[in-house]
Amino acid sequence: MSEHTRPDSAGPAPSAPAKAVRLEATGHDGSFLGKTVTPAKFASGRESGFAFADILFAIDLGDEFVFGDAFPDWRGNLYDISMIPDMDTLVRWKPGLDAVIGDYWLRDGRPVPICPRNMVRRLAEHLRELGYSATVAVEIETTLFEESVQQARARGYRDLTPLGGATGATYHLARSKDWVDYLEAVTDRLDELGIAWEAWTDEAAAGQTELNLAPADPVSLSDSWARTKQVMREVAFEQDHTVTFMAKPTSGFGQGAHINLSLHRDGANQFYAPDGPSEVMLQAVGGLMATMAGNTLLALPQITSYRRLVDLSGPPTTISWGVNNKTAAVRAIAGHPKYSRLEYRLPGSDVNPYYALAGVLAGVVAGIERRMQAPPQVDDMAWCLPDDSGIERIPDSITKAIAALDGDAVLREYLGDEFVDFWVASRRWEWMEFHTKGGDPYAELSAWESRRYFEFP
Amino acid sequence: MTEAPTITPGMDARRAPARIEIDEDATPVVRLLGRTLRDAIRIGHAPEVLDHGGGTVAVRSHNTPQAATVTLHGGAVTVSGGLFAPADATLVVDLEARFSLAQDPDGDAELARGLHRALRPPLPAWHEAAESFWKATRGIRGIPDVLVVVAHGPDGPQEARFGAGPVAYRMAGTPDALAGVFTGADYLLTSLDSGLRVQGTLSQVSVMTAASWKVRFDV
């Protein structure tokens, strides 16, 4: 059961009886899986939990069993695991419907080792044991289309009309009403749910937008991130539009999910030093750099995720960091007692929020615990570096990323062998499915990817 | 499933073999082609093609975008992903049926027939294939302690056991079906649709899938 306090993002307590309660938790691909139960059923299971077949960690986005690893002892012939709701997350989602986020637990009371939410909680707790509390924020990028989801499905998610016009125009306020109406409806829903947001704007590609969530503790931020994606989908359905979190939904710009993180102790920002990065920040950077190749498989989980990694197009392509350097994979914002933070720029918008944060926290914890040294920062442009620069490239295919995570002893220690083996096998399965079931690696964006990734994750 | 005669390595296996090179970070079809041609070289199959052939052959899947280019030149065989240049010949094959032809080859018919022959090496006997499979995959984390294989041939069922320990996994089928899976000529999950039978847990099917990838694609 959750040990953290009620998150700021939790909405007001329901004032009228609900007709139903929706149980929410992400599987491995990142969007919510769950079911809706009656109030009586919810009351009977809110303490003991609700049985879910472990299949929810074993089905891919094409509804096929994912094979390739030796299941641990808690997985077998479709055994049940328990989803226990975290009552701190209970909200009135809409009139008559409550929603609550939960975690997966084994029958013996241990957390499911590959449960995304449990992984974030475990690593945040590890950080607390070192004396730090983490504050995290995220920039969520997504692309909107005029067509309804039914129309999008009928077209195979191709040749859709970007909402708000055919131009990508970062920061322009002269956007058409349909686009503004959508974002205002989304933020109204976030306000109703108590999810703290800070800003929204259009982004680089036609139909693309960025929504920033306010800083929070890691578990709460992950919950808000997952719920915000659900809200953005539901509002799109209501307005007969379509939204996608594919890392590259068209042949145009890709979209990411930058994670901003700071560490505090006794109310003071531990990344702050008057004249640049603090020693703690440099250790955190050291850990993030050491684990970046392995963490790529969490930050870029799908086949299409890797289509973003193009020099000079925005996403990082090298394992690099620098103060205020947005061409690097980690941007350090230093020298300010309040705003000093690290911006981890690698994740794509198709990431599982919980796994992405778990990977980042693992790198930070490892860096601090092992007093890792940050490599020299990159003052130059971190794209297009020559091979002899001494700066490694980020793994640019899922198979390279699989190999990097499989061989990362540090991440194996902090994320657990069970998770690493599971994730490596499931991503190898994804690679095999793509190549053998109709994906085209030589197409700019294959129809197989659109069908598989447009609506989920 | 196609039938193929079984042979054991003969004198040809000791010839100076051709060299097979595949892309770095190769796709599954490239890996499948490369592994199959290596097996062919190992048993001395089609040396007139692999050791002495020359030319470029496009190999395309009949029902997916999977494609590769095989270049033969003076005993060097290169397999690359995709089709990026005009080829001397084109083979359209069923990758799930041991490279059986889906249509008549285009271009240089002799070259096409030669490579196609090289891609269909005869399979070893099922028990030899099972032994090689066990040797290649027993190091995979979580593989069962014991592999029990039952071949249902014309002389009735024959059984072989590999390994020792409390956790056993049983596979049964025709000699050809078993040899196909154990060599990597066939994919385990596809073979389950065509008559191969297994006895074990769902977990074991999962890890045996990894074993099938290992022998089929060398991953």
Side-chain angles (χ1 to χ4, degrees), chain B residues 10 13 20-21 53 57 70 74 81-82 101 110 119-120 124 139 147 166 177 185 192 203-204 214 216-217:
Chain B
I20 303 287
E21 293 188 0
V57 184
V70 180
L101 286 176
E110 185 179 356
L119 287 171
R120 293 165 65 84
L147 176 64
L192 294 177
S203 310
Q204 289 170 338
K214 177 74 177 169
R216 184 166 168 81
F217 301 107

Side-chain angles (χ1 to χ4, degrees), chain A residues 54 65-72 75-79 396-400 406 412 417 421 425 428-442, chain B residues 23-31 63-67 80-84 96 140-143 187 189 200-207 209-210 213 217 219:
Chain A
D54 68 11
F65 278 118
V66 174
F67 290 141
D69 65 325
F71 299 168
R75 293 179 73 192
N77 298 323
L78 307 183
Y79 295 161
D396 60 2
S397 72
I398 201 166
T399 45
K400 292 178 185 176
D406 200 19
R412 278 192 173 276
D417 281 330
D421 289 343
R428 183 170 284 139
W429 172 272
E430 191 70 12
W431 173 72
M432 201 71 78
E433 289 288 290
F434 167 70
H435 283 285
T436 62
K437 299 284 181 64
D440 184 352
Y442 307 107
Chain B
D23 294 336
E24 185 186 349
D25 199 20
T27 61
V29 67
V30 170
R31 290 177 167 275
N63 62 350
T64 71
Q66 295 180 92
S80 304
L83 309 173
F84 299 112
E96 297 299 327
I140 294 174
R141 192 193 307 256
I143 206 84
Y187 180 36
L189 297 182
T201 64
L202 198 61
S203 310
Q204 289 170 338
V205 171
S206 177
V207 76
T209 300
W213 289 339
F217 301 107
V219 294

Side-chain angles (χ1 to χ4, degrees), chain A residues 23 34-35 37 41 44-46 48-56 78-85 103-105 107:
Chain A
L23 307 173
K35 54 187 170 186
V37 299
K41 176 71 175 175
S44 73
R46 58 182 284 178
S48 57
F50 298 89
F52 280 78
D54 68 11
I55 198 172
L56 58 84
L78 307 183
Y79 295 161
D80 277 345
I81 52 178
S82 289
M83 189 271 211
I84 298 181
D103 309 271
Y104 293 107
W105 300 81
R107 283 176 288 189

